[in-house]
């Protein structure tokens, strides 16, 4: 409405509030793009276009729009880094994704986790065994550093958003035995969770075994349904030995 009334500055103020509340709305970014265009701020308008395309899952177009006008070292905010990291990664541009995380680390030099995060980016597919080995070497060295950080890091020093965006999901694709790495990541998540919710530090009583002596198993996942995550795990649900577990 404000745009149609010829008040682009007022529209920008309200639209910025809107995208903070609902950042994944392409319509808000379209309106913000138009508003910045109306006050002759083309760079701001172009970045809004990148956001709009990204939130429409048009990652390749978002990358092309970004690279047409900007370079990675011109990224100004941490949120821009996260958005572009996802776009580059979705397009298979892992090297650029790593550079984007490096830019995020530069923008937040006091964030200890972000200083390690560029080495935690793994490719989903490798062109050769030597390429996988190179990624793996960087990754394991980063986890050694992370393990040391966990022992010395002050309370509240962890950036929750950074931790949740750089997980170890693609480590399993290498087909190695990495229990210690997963344990380190679990410790990291536990530290983040207990700092936010201190009640989680309290011990949880474990109920005794049932009368038949079977061990109870619970399966917990973000999405159990008709998707790829369920398909590879469904064998666990169907085939665990019901004479021993319930």
């Amino acid at each position: 409405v404000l745009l149609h009334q010829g008040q682009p500055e007022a529209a920008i103020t309200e639209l910025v509030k809107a995208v903070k509340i609902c950042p994944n709305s392409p319509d808000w970014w379209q309106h913000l793009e138009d508003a910045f265009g109306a006050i002759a701020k083309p760079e701001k308008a172009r970045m809004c276009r990148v956001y709009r395309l990204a939130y429409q899952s048009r990652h390749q177009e978002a990358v092309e729009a970004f690279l047409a006008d900007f370079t990675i070292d011109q990224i100004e905010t941490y949120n821009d880094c996260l958005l572009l990291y996802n776009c580059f990664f979705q397009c298979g541009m892992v090297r650029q994704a790593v550079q984007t995380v490096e830019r995020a680390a530069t923008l937040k030099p006091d964030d200890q986790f972000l200083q390690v995060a560029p080495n935690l980016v793994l490719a989903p597919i490798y062109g050769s065994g030597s390429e996988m080995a190179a990624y793996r070497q960087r990754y394991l060295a980063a986890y050694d550093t992370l393990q040391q950080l966990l022992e010395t890091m002050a309370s509240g020093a962890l950036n929750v958003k950074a931790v949740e965006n750089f997980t170890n999901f693609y480590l399993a694709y290498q087909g190695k035995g990495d229990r210690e790495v997963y344990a380190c990541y679990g410790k990291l998540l536990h530290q983040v969770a207990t700092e936010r919710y201190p009640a989680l530090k309290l011990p949880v009583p474990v109920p005794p075994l049932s009368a038949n002596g079977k061990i109870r198993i619970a399966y917990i996942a973000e999405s159990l349904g008709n998707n790829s995550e369920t398909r590879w795990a469904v064998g666990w649900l169907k085939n665990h030995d019901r004479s021993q577990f319930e």
Side-chain angles (χ1 to χ4, degrees):
V1 173
L2 291 170
L3 265 178
H4 290 306
Q5 292 176 346
Q7 302 180 60
E9 292 90 350
I12 288 170
T13 299
E14 297 306 315
L15 287 165
V16 167
K17 294 177 184 177
V19 296
K20 284 182 178 179
I21 297 170
C22 186
N24 59 349
S25 170
D27 289 342
W28 292 131
W29 290 107
Q30 177 68 72
H31 296 322
L32 201 50
E33 179 184 351
D34 295 340
F36 278 121
I39 62 171
K41 289 192 175 181
E43 289 190 356
K44 293 283 189 182
R46 290 167 191 153
M47 198 63 200
C48 290
R49 182 170 186 264
V50 173
Y51 268 79
R52 173 173 59 81
L53 292 168
Y55 284 124
Q56 289 173 325
S57 297
R58 296 159 65 184
H59 301 109
Q60 185 65 46
E61 292 176 71
V63 165
E64 291 171 359
F66 173 77
L67 294 177
D69 295 297
F70 306 98
T71 60
I72 290 173
D73 60 4
Q74 291 177 308
I75 300 174
E76 296 183 347
T77 72
Y78 174 66
N79 286 336
D80 290 351
C81 288
L82 286 184
L83 180 99
L84 288 160
Y85 161 75
N86 183 59
C87 288
F88 282 126
F89 195 88
Q90 293 295 331
C91 294
M93 302 170 70
V94 181
R95 179 174 59 84
Q96 290 86 345
V98 171
Q99 291 171 350
T100 306
V101 183
E102 290 171 344
R103 176 62 177 165
T106 301
L107 293 171
K108 288 182 172 284
D110 296 330
D111 190 315
Q112 293 176 290
F113 179 80
L114 269 181
Q115 307 314 306
V116 180
N119 291 333
L120 299 178
V121 179
L122 291 174
I125 300 174
Y126 303 99
S128 65
S130 60
E131 183 185 13
M132 187 182 82
Y135 272 98
R136 182 172 179 80
Q137 183 178 6
R138 292 170 58 248
Y139 193 90
L140 295 180
Y143 257 99
D144 285 342
T145 303
L146 187 58
Q147 186 70 55
Q148 296 169 21
L149 286 175
L150 284 171
E151 296 172 359
T152 60
M153 200 176 290
S155 177
L158 285 169
N159 182 328
V160 176
K161 197 168 186 179
V163 173
E164 70 182 12
N165 278 282
F166 302 103
T167 71
N168 51 22
F169 183 85
Y170 286 103
L171 184 62
Y173 283 44
Q174 295 185 352
K176 305 290 185 179
D178 290 308
R179 186 182 183 282
E180 291 183 2
V181 176
Y182 288 111
C184 178
Y185 185 68
K187 183 177 180 181
L188 176 70
L189 294 180
H190 179 265
Q191 183 167 330
V192 171
T194 53
E195 284 178 359
R196 277 198 161 192
Y197 308 104
L200 293 176
K201 291 183 179 181
L202 301 175
V204 178
V206 179
L209 294 178
S210 58
N212 58 23
K214 292 182 181 180
I215 298 173
R216 296 185 185 95
I217 300 177
Y219 296 94
I220 302 174
E222 182 180 12
S223 54
L224 280 176
N226 186 24
N227 59 40
S228 60
E229 294 179 16
T230 303
R231 291 189 189 106
W232 64 255
V234 71
W236 298 346
L237 302 174
K238 290 173 60 177
N239 299 319
H240 70 251
D241 187 347
R242 284 171 168 74
S243 68
Q244 299 183 56
F245 307 101
E246 63 181 19

